[in-house]
Amino acid sequence: MAGPAGRLDAVLVCGGRWHDFDHARLRLLELLAEHPRVRTTVYQDYDCLAALDRADLLVTYTCDVRPRPAQRAALARFVERGGRWLALHGTNAVIEPSAGDGPRLFTTPRLLGDLAKVLGSQFVAHPPIEPYEVLVTRPDHPLVAGIEPFTVTDELYVSELHGELEVLLHAEYTGPCRGFAEGDTAALDRAPRPVLYLKRHGRGEVCYFTLGHCRGRYDMQDLGVDDTGRVDVGPWQSPEFLTVLRRCVERTVGARSPAR
């Protein structure tokens, strides 16, 4: 439950590969700072079990951050006991680039284990980054009320889905995802692609928002690209994205605190 005077302890995990985590971390901290009773501790990975056991809420923005078995169990336990987890963008992604001199091919090994069932999805592939339309699945839901279909430039996630999801935003895509080992297989799945959804687990809830890509000039060096020559802010200048993201943070903060 909340601490003295209603204080809420938040854990923000922000780190990984191929994204501008400095940008995302700053923007998320700004949104959390709009709630004076929230005090946030920041980590780059899931080596934060003691803080997680005390946490009232969890926000994650990662890519290819692979929780170990004890960390996966702690994350599942957090939600089971009533915690609210706002998971953004690549939280569900485990991505392995191919080695060697041939064309680069990314595989997406299923290394999240049962945590994928808690999250409700695991990333498989995405088509090239380009503008696409986000559609409103549940216009009556408070998180997306008043939001019209909007266009963003982002990674359109094709994911393996787990369990019953309450989809609030989605995109339509049935084309290939070149460069991913399962890209052609994923293209055969004609289901709408969830962009924002809620997933119940135990007494708690995961709110997953797949948008949020951003990349600076120096974030691809481990792939041999010293300087991309551009800064990619993705949807972070989209008013619709920022409105929905702010509402997601408010929902996570305003929910009943989990029993500790």
Side-chain angles (χ1 to χ4, degrees):
M1 62 181 63
R7 165 176 162 159
L8 296 174
D9 290 321
V11 168
L12 170 61
V13 179
C14 186
R17 308 172 79 180
W18 310 316
H19 292 77
D20 186 350
F21 295 102
D22 288 344
H23 179 87
R25 185 183 302 112
L26 176 61
R27 301 296 294 273
L28 291 170
L29 285 171
E30 288 173 341
L31 289 171
L32 287 165
E34 294 178 2
H35 303 273
R37 65 190 185 123
V38 172
R39 285 295 173 265
T40 305
T41 306
V42 180
Y43 298 86
Q44 293 188 11
D45 55 33
Y46 295 108
D47 190 15
C48 56
L49 297 192
L52 190 61
D53 283 342
R54 298 189 301 268
D56 299 296
L57 56 136
L58 171 65
V59 180
T60 58
Y61 180 105
T62 67
C63 178
D64 196 41
V65 173
R66 309 176 183 191
R68 298 188 297 273
Q71 296 168 346
R72 296 198 298 267
L75 289 162
R77 188 167 60 248
F78 168 79
V79 184
E80 286 169 356
R81 66 181 169 90
R84 296 290 181 109
W85 182 357
L86 174 55
L88 299 168
H89 200 46
T91 296
N92 68 348
V94 176
I95 306 173
E96 190 67 41
S98 59
D101 298 328
R104 183 174 290 120
L105 188 67
F106 293 93
T107 58
T108 50
R110 306 307 197 267
L111 299 180
L112 293 179
D114 287 342
L115 189 61
K117 298 176 183 177
V118 178
L119 283 170
S121 65
Q122 180 156 356
F123 172 81
V124 174
H126 67 72
I129 300 172
E130 60 186 10
Y132 66 91
E133 187 177 32
V134 176
L135 303 173
V136 182
T137 320
R138 285 280 311 277
D140 58 324
H141 195 280
L143 287 180
V144 295
I147 300 294
E148 299 293 332
F150 60 99
T151 299
V152 293
T153 300
D154 207 320
E155 296 168 336
L156 195 163
Y157 271 24
V158 174
S159 296
E160 184 179 81
L161 305 181
H162 297 274
E164 184 176 347
L165 311 180
E166 184 179 4
V167 179
L168 308 180
L169 296 174
H170 71 277
E172 300 284 352
Y173 185 76
T174 57
C177 299
R178 296 184 179 89
F180 288 89
E182 298 179 60
D184 292 338
T185 303
L188 300 177
D189 177 6
R190 295 183 176 273
R193 312 298 179 185
V195 171
L196 173 67
Y197 66 80
L198 303 174
K199 170 70 162 57
R200 298 292 303 177
H201 182 75
R203 296 168 55 197
E205 177 186 85
V206 172
C207 177
Y208 203 114
F209 200 4
T210 66
L211 298 182
H213 177 73
C214 55
R215 181 177 294 146
R217 290 171 53 185
Y218 312 111
D219 295 323
M220 302 288 285
Q221 292 186 350
D222 68 332
L223 294 180
V225 182
D226 291 341
D227 184 351
T228 65
R230 57 176 295 180
V231 173
D232 183 359
V233 296
W236 289 91
Q237 293 180 337
S238 162
E240 294 89 354
F241 167 72
L242 294 174
T243 294
V244 174
L245 179 58
R246 177 171 278 106
R247 292 177 183 178
C248 290
V249 171
E250 290 172 349
R251 180 183 179 91
T252 305
V253 171
R256 179 179 60 82
S257 300
R260 297 182 185 175

